[in-house]
Each structure stands twice: as C-alpha cells, then as structure tokens.
Amino acid sequence: MNIGLKAFAFLTAGSLILPLSSSIQNNTVESLVDYVNPYIGNISHLLVPTFPTVHLPNSMLRVYPQRQDYTSEYINGLPVVVTHHRERSAFNISPTSGAPRSPVTQFNYDNEIIKPYYYSVELNDNSIKAEFAPSHQSAVYSLHFTDGSANISVSTPRGHITAEGNHVSGWQQLSDNTKIYLYLETEQVPESIAEQNYGKEGSSFTLCFKPSVKDVNLRYGISLIGVEQARKNLRREIPDYNLQDVAEKGRAVWNDALGAISVKGNEKDMETFYTSLYRTFERPICLSEEGRYFSAFDGKIHSDKGIPFYTDDWIWDTYRAAHPLRILINRDREEAILHSFLEMAEQMGNNWMPTFPEITGDSRRMNSNHGVASVADAMVKGLAIDTLRAYEACRKAIEEKTLIPWSAARANEIDEFYRAKGYIPALAEGEEETNHNVSHFEKRQPVAVTLGTSYDEWCLSRIADALGRKDDAERYLRASANYRNLFNRATSFFHPKDKDGKFIEPFDYQIGRASCRGRGGGG
C-alpha cells in the first residue's frame, strides 16, 4: 500500500520515488533506509531514551551497543540479542587482542556506523574492528584484529554455555519459565578453548586463535525453543559467513518496509519521518520459529497454525498510533498481532486481554486495558479478527481483572466502587492505603484509571453493538461517560475525588498530591 504523505502531516495524492541502490558505509542518501538515523533520541533526561537498534522489521533478533547512552565513551562487549524493548543484551561477545581479563570487556570505541541493517565499530584505540549484520533469528559478525592474538569470549551472566571445536551453545535465563538459546560457530577453528569463571550464575568460554589469524568470522542463531532450533534458524537464514550478503538482504527488507509510505519534504524532514517510521517496526516481534513458538504466557511450545505469533508489544504505548498505522500499511501483520493477543489471553488461563505483553509474559504495567481499542479499531476497518473471542477477552479484562494499575489481581473493592460510583476513589494526603493490591510506588492513579477505563468501555460498547449485544452496548456506552464524574467545572480540570464524592482539596494541578499521583500519571 503506497500512501502519499506530506512530511509528518497531510495526506496528498502524490508520492516520492527514490532510486534504490546499495551502500553500507557512506552517508549518501540512495534509498529510503538511508534517511534513517538511529542516533536520534538516544539521550533522555527523564525517561528511557530510544536506542540505536539494528534489526529487521518486527524480528526476534535485535541489538544495540551496550552503553549507558550516546554520550558514553565505552561499550561493554558486543551485543548478541536484546530480549525485549529497553532491555540489555542476553549473552555477550567480547573480542580481545590477548588474554581477556573478564568475560565481558569494556572498550573505548570510535568510528561507529549504525544502520538499521548494519553495525560497525572500532574498539580499543582502533586495534579491533567489528562488523555486524542481522537476519530475523540469526546474525553474523566479522572481527578484524590489527595486533596481538585473536581471542573471543562468549558469555552469559545467568545461564550455561558449552564450547567445543568451532561452536558455542547454551542458554540464558530470562524469567522463571523463559530461556533464550544460542548456537554460535566460527569460520576459523580456534587453537584452544579456555573456560572463564563468571560467578555462580554465569558461564563463559574464550576461543583462542593462532597468532597468524587476524580475521575471525562468526555467525549465530537464537531461539526460545532450544539450542537445536537455534542451529536450524541459523542454517536456514545464513548459509555462510558473507556479511555483505546478509547486510544487502537486510537493506532490501528495510527499503521494502519503509516504502509502504512515500513522503515529500526537505532532507531533514525526510530523516525525521523515516527514522520515526523505522521506530514503529521495533516491536512487537515475531516469535514463530518454523511454525512453532514458545509462549511465556503458559510456559509451553505451541504450533502457530500458520499465523505468526507476536509479542513484546507494550499495548499502553502502541494502541494510539502504531496499531492504527499498521492497519494502513500492513493489515496481515496487524491481524496476526491481534490474534496473538487472543492466544495469550487463553494461555494465561483467565482469558484477560494482555496489557503489556513481553517475551517473558504479560507484565501488566501502566493502567487501563487498551487492547480493546485496537480490537475495536480493527473491527471497524474490516480486519479479519474473531470478534466474539476478542470481545470476551476485552470484557473479562475490564470486569474480572482489577483496574488497579500495575496489578494482575482479580477485581476487588476498588473495582466494586468504580462500578457503583463511576470513578476510582482517591486518598487524601496522609491517608493510608487500605488495599494491598495497590503499588506503594504507583498508587491508585484515580484520574488516569477513570479516564482510561471510560475510553475502554466506549470501545467495548462498539464491539458489543457490532455483535448485536444491545444491552451490553448500552451499558458500556453509559459507563463510557464516567470521565465526567471527575471533571471540576469550577477549574475546568479533571480532579480526583474521595470516596464520599468530594474533590480532594487543596490540590495543585501542577504537581498533584503524593497519594494521588504515580508514574503512570494519576493526579
């Protein structure tokens, strides 16, 4: 689907056609992917910044340099796989000229190049150069040593790996029921292998090459199913050690994905737009591995039955714009993502629509249950979705799960109050919390939860109406007006109320009250 847009704004009838060619290491604009600048947004003074992620669209294997932020002078080894958005790398690769001092080496770095499909960097005062290119579930590194002997440490801080001949394999624990597996092999055979101590939970081996070896190529596959599946993923996607070939294929994939939208604008506008579009492909990620996937939502391996399984979506972040955008540019993927939500709901055993689905399960972060908005939007726009099944998952998530933010508890007295009075009651300053399900840090977030739930119930009313459930539709439509219960006409602000229906006073709208606010924005 080709949508003509004026940069970041208005729909137009035109589109911009750019020549396609291949260029990895220069900064000339030759195709759409060359407008992408992964460094944009790498520094943040308040929340976690965006990272310069190297990956193929919506793929399981994602990496970015392991450093504090773009201002840091050092990186900690080379990344293998970022297991979910904002997370650090599982496993680590540390090349050294000489014997390593620790499993993970801290390097100064220079001459770094980051493209969505390619990464290169020079380490330790330019004594080592590393190049990287990803596929969907595998990747390849080329390591070049200018002095000393070539040594490569492969490690996990929480797991177990083994090494033999030219390959390393093992796993890292991500959560109680979730492991990620690695199968790695080098083109050059090491002269020896040394095991390193990495504490009680970690594991590390160093591959030591002859002094005459100055270039080492390695490739690896990852899996959530097992080591053998990781090996299969690698062999299926990367048949040799040709990094240039992998990078060119990745470049083509990105140009195809970004080409779904054409824009007109100056060079800076184009950079801003296509970098923003690139960001929308970072999550969710596809976990299907040759028709199977591991689900942390029940700890089991499932057949995907021909529909790819996606997770790591963080719906609270993505329902407003990312899901509606995907309906426009990739309906098939959006249908698969919504289908994945319904699979998760059933696998959890409670049939509650997830709110923050990650590789390790539903973390239930933030507030409200905005998956219902994505279902309603898809339904209105004609996507193929099991609407009855989705309705039940959305309804149960709102009625059976507590509305308390950052909680996976069942509905309780706070929810009963909301059903009866139409708002979440706030606590006055100094008033002690009586509900043990409320996070000490996150609080009740009474305004945010009331407004968010009102919106969710409006969306649910639309789904119920489409299904012919008129009574439910009318009930949820009435409930969608609950936001009015916290509107203070005297100040024209939404204002927290106590359990007796009185606005909390005094109240500073700029900073809120300690008992009413939380990180999710409740005051």
Side-chain angles (χ1 to χ4, degrees), residues 13-194:
S15 63
L16 179 64
I17 300 175
L18 298 176
L20 297 179
S21 62
S22 61
S23 172
I24 292 179
Q25 298 191 45
N26 62 49
N27 293 319
T28 60
V29 175
E30 298 181 343
S31 56
L32 296 182
V33 72
D34 296 317
Y35 286 111
V36 175
N37 182 358
Y39 289 112
I40 292 177
N42 291 179
I43 301 173
S44 172
H45 299 291
L46 179 62
L47 297 174
V48 176
T50 58
F51 294 100
T53 310
V54 183
H55 66 114
L56 299 189
N58 300 101
S59 292
M60 186 192 302
L61 196 147
R62 301 167 291 184
V63 305
Y64 43 72
Q66 302 300 292
R67 57 180 173 234
Q68 188 65 31
D69 57 39
Y70 183 48
T71 66
S72 173
E73 299 179 22
Y74 300 97
I75 59 176
N76 297 315
L78 298 172
V80 176
V81 55
V82 174
T83 54
H84 63 270
H85 176 68
R86 296 187 183 179
E87 188 55 86
R88 295 300 174 184
S89 177
F91 306 106
N92 187 274
I93 295 171
S94 288
T96 58
S97 299
R101 296 181 180 180
S102 63
V104 177
T105 301
Q106 185 178 77
F107 302 103
N108 63 47
Y109 68 96
D110 197 4
N111 295 325
E112 185 179 70
I113 298 172
I114 300 182
K115 305 285 187 181
Y117 56 89
Y118 172 82
Y119 173 61
S120 71
V121 65
E122 294 180 12
L123 309 171
N124 270 14
D125 299 320
N126 314 106
S127 64
I128 302 171
K129 181 177 180 179
E131 294 183 276
F132 170 87
S135 188
H136 299 282
Q137 296 166 351
S138 59
V140 58
Y141 270 107
S142 289
L143 305 172
H144 314 284
F145 300 81
T146 60
D147 56 30
S149 58
N151 295 280
I152 300 173
S153 296
V154 182
S155 62
T156 171
R158 188 183 177 209
H160 180 72
I161 59 176
T162 60
E164 182 179 358
N166 71 329
H167 68 267
V168 178
S169 61
W171 53 268
Q172 179 165 320
Q173 197 80 39
L174 302 182
S175 65
D176 290 344
N177 74 346
T178 307
K179 294 179 179 178
I180 190 164
Y181 299 87
L182 171 71
Y183 179 87
L184 178 152
E185 56 190 18
T186 60
E187 184 175 25
Q188 296 75 20
V189 178
E191 182 179 35
S192 63
I193 299 174

Side-chain angles (χ1 to χ4, degrees), residues 305-500:
K305 300 178 182 178
I307 303 176
F309 182 84
Y310 289 85
T311 190
D312 203 32
D313 187 44
W314 304 27
I315 303 172
W316 195 92
D317 294 355
T318 60
Y319 80 95
R320 299 171 183 84
H323 281 272
L325 172 65
R326 206 157 34 237
I327 290 176
L328 294 175
I329 66 175
N330 198 323
R331 292 168 71 93
D332 290 346
R333 181 170 292 159
E334 180 66 10
E335 288 173 352
I337 291 167
L338 296 178
H339 176 79
S340 299
F341 291 170
L342 304 186
E343 294 291 290
M344 296 171 196
E346 289 189 2
Q347 290 164 6
M348 285 187 287
N350 47 34
N351 201 27
W352 297 345
M353 179 67 75
T355 57
F356 241 67
E358 302 179 37
I359 285 181
T360 51
D362 192 17
S363 63
R364 297 292 179 189
R365 304 189 202 197
M366 305 305 289
N367 57 59
S368 306
N369 288 275
H370 295 317
V372 62
S374 294
V375 169
D377 192 36
M379 177 197 70
V380 168
K381 294 172 181 174
L383 270 66
I385 180 173
D386 188 337
T387 313
L388 180 58
R389 186 183 178 200
Y391 174 72
E392 285 301 307
C394 293
R395 181 187 64 80
K396 290 185 177 183
I398 292 174
E399 292 189 349
E400 296 181 4
K401 177 196 167 295
T402 184
L403 299 175
I404 294 172
W406 294 68
S407 175
R410 297 191 68 84
N412 51 64
E413 61 268 22
I414 287 181
D415 305 277
E416 293 171 2
F417 186 98
Y418 176 82
R419 306 298 173 213
K421 303 294 185 179
Y423 67 94
I424 299 294
L427 301 177
E429 186 171 13
E431 186 178 356
E432 290 189 12
E433 180 57 70
T434 58
N435 191 306
H436 71 276
N437 294 300
V438 176
S439 164
H440 176 73
F441 179 70
E442 295 294 339
K443 314 300 183 187
R444 296 186 178 192
Q445 302 177 26
V447 173
V449 174
T450 299
L451 270 58
T453 303
S454 298
Y455 173 65
D456 290 343
E457 289 179 311
W458 181 84
C459 294
L460 196 55
S461 75
R462 300 303 85 207
I463 303 173
D465 185 67
L467 289 172
R469 299 192 172 192
K470 301 303 181 183
D471 290 344
D472 284 357
E474 291 177 6
R475 176 163 57 90
Y476 288 121
L477 186 59
R478 287 194 300 271
S480 73
N482 283 338
Y483 69 93
R484 299 174 183 174
N485 295 328
L486 295 185
F487 186 71
N488 189 335
R489 294 184 180 278
T491 63
S492 295
F493 279 92
F494 290 101
H495 192 138
K497 283 182 177 179
D498 64 20
K499 63 180 184 301
D500 297 320

